[in-house]
Amino acid sequence: MILAMSKPTFDVDQLVTSSDASKKFGELRRKAKELPQYITDNGTVDTVLIGYDLFEQIYDRLTRLEEEEEQRILLQRLERIERDPESAKSWKSVRRNTEA
């Protein structure tokens, strides 16, 4: 079972203005390896800087969830066709309708 992720939270130590971020980018990169850093523009979070390890974790999870969703959709379609074989469409007819 995959649990839903909650919306990220952050504290004031993780906020940095865009002008400070440009001046202290090396320091910001080091901090981002431990905790995401939130770059603000006019007081609003505009960009999030994260370490590569966290990026890989997020990317892997997203890829896995997309694959699971595609599999779920395909299984639903197969079940629908098994219940009602007449509802099946040939690939040629589907392709012809999407090329128009």
Side-chain angles (χ1 to χ4, degrees):
M1 172 187 231
I2 295 177
L3 300 175
M5 293 178 70
S6 58
K7 186 174 179 178
T9 59
F10 50 87
D11 61 37
V12 71
D13 294 335
Q14 292 171 271
L15 290 173
V16 62
T17 64
S18 57
S19 59
D20 282 345
S22 65
K23 293 174 191 170
K24 302 175 182 178
F25 190 67
E27 177 185 341
L28 197 60
R29 284 181 48 225
R30 282 188 295 280
K31 286 182 175 182
K33 290 178 183 178
E34 299 299 320
L35 285 171
Q37 300 297 301
Y38 300 86
I39 302 170
T40 62
D41 188 31
N42 294 321
T44 303
V45 174
D46 176 67
T47 306
V48 179
L49 184 64
I50 60 173
Y52 190 70
D53 288 343
L54 179 56
F55 170 79
E56 278 189 327
Q57 290 173 21
I58 293 169
Y59 184 83
D60 289 345
R61 181 178 172 126
L62 177 61
T63 301
R64 188 174 62 252
L65 288 172
E66 287 175 337
E67 289 170 355
E68 289 172 4
E69 178 66 5
E70 287 175 10
Q71 184 178 27
R72 185 188 65 76
I73 291 169
L74 287 173
L75 288 173
Q76 283 179 342
R77 290 177 181 174
L78 287 172
E79 289 171 0
R80 186 176 65 231
I81 289 170
E82 285 177 357
R83 285 191 309 269
D84 182 14
E86 297 297 317
S87 69
K89 296 180 181 177
S90 72
W91 173 244
K92 277 186 170 180
S93 70
V94 170
R95 188 169 177 216
R96 188 172 32 248
N97 288 335
T98 59
E99 290 179 350

